[in-house]
Each structure stands twice: as C-alpha cells, then as structure tokens.
Amino acid sequence: MTQTFTTSRRTLLLGGGALALGACSSGEADAAQAQYANSPFRRITDAQWRERLPASSYNVLRHEATERPYTSPLNDEHRAGTFVCRGCELPLFRSATKYDSGTGWPSFYDVIDGAVATKQDFAIGIPRTEYHCARCLGHQGHIFNDGPRPTGKRYCNNGVALTFQPA
C-alpha cells in the first residue's frame, strides 16, 4: 500500500511540475485562449476549408500532413516582412527570426507572442510538440530544441501553411 501511495504522489508531483513548466513557455497560446476562442475561422467546415485552400495547404493545415522537404519557395525568402498563416492570415513569424536550419523546411527561432498553440503529437510513435495557428487551429509544424540563440528553439514549419507579406 505504501508503494502505491508513493508512486501516486510522485506522479502527481511530477505532473504538477510539468504543468507549471508548460505554463511558463513563452510565445505559445492555449488553443482555447479567449482572444481567439470565438474566431469565425473556428466555425468553417472541413468542406469549406477544402474549397478555400490549395490541396497541399488543406492537407497540412486541416489534416496535419507534412510537405516534402526542400519544396517550399519560402525556404529562399529573405526579404523583410512577416510570415502569416495561410488559413487565416494571422501573423506568426517575423522574417528577422527565420534561419536556414538545413532541414528543407522554413525554420524560425521565435514566434510572435500568442500566435501559436501547442499540443503533444505521437503520430510517429515518439512524443513531439506540434504547433498550430492559435486563431484557426491550422497545423503549422513542430518545435524542436535544436535552434539557435537566443531561444534554442526551431519552429519547423510547412511552407504551404504560410504566406509571406513583405514589409
């Protein structure tokens, strides 16, 4: 009985610690965040999304597909400006935070505050942190801890999930 209580208490404490750390993450938003919870983009049906978006963007944004690496013209986009969600045009990244990660996908070391929400993804059998647009919930990519300073993060984004707006 003591072993069960100790294990349960340890699990509770570790889980609470993980929740506390998650709450301290910078730049990430809860998908139910008040400022976007009533967004009209959340009421668009799957059929309407299919009509609004090119097929590749629809598959990534609405069904969490991944585009092939080195296929996005945004890999070579180096002008000043903003990268926005292709689904709802919410600004997600400033061009100053873009860098060449060598992965074949547009990568950024920081996100505009409150622009993305995260969740755990087990699609390939290992836990990863998926991020999506906080306003329309469109899948963007995954966050990795191998990026440059100052954040050490790599927001590895599907190019078809973004558009670029020059400054």
Side-chain angles (χ1 to χ4, degrees), residues 8 29 44 53 57 145 147:
S8 297
I44 296 173
L53 297 167
S57 298
N145 292 319

Side-chain angles (χ1 to χ4, degrees), residues 66 93 99 101 103-108 131 139-144 146 153-159:
T66 301
F93 303 100
Y99 73 101
S101 65
T103 62
W105 289 281
S107 297
F108 306 86
Y131 65 98
H139 172 76
Q140 295 291 323
H142 292 87
I143 305 170
F144 301 95
D146 59 3
K153 302 288 184 194
R154 173 172 48 103
Y155 290 82
C156 188
N157 216 97
N158 288 282

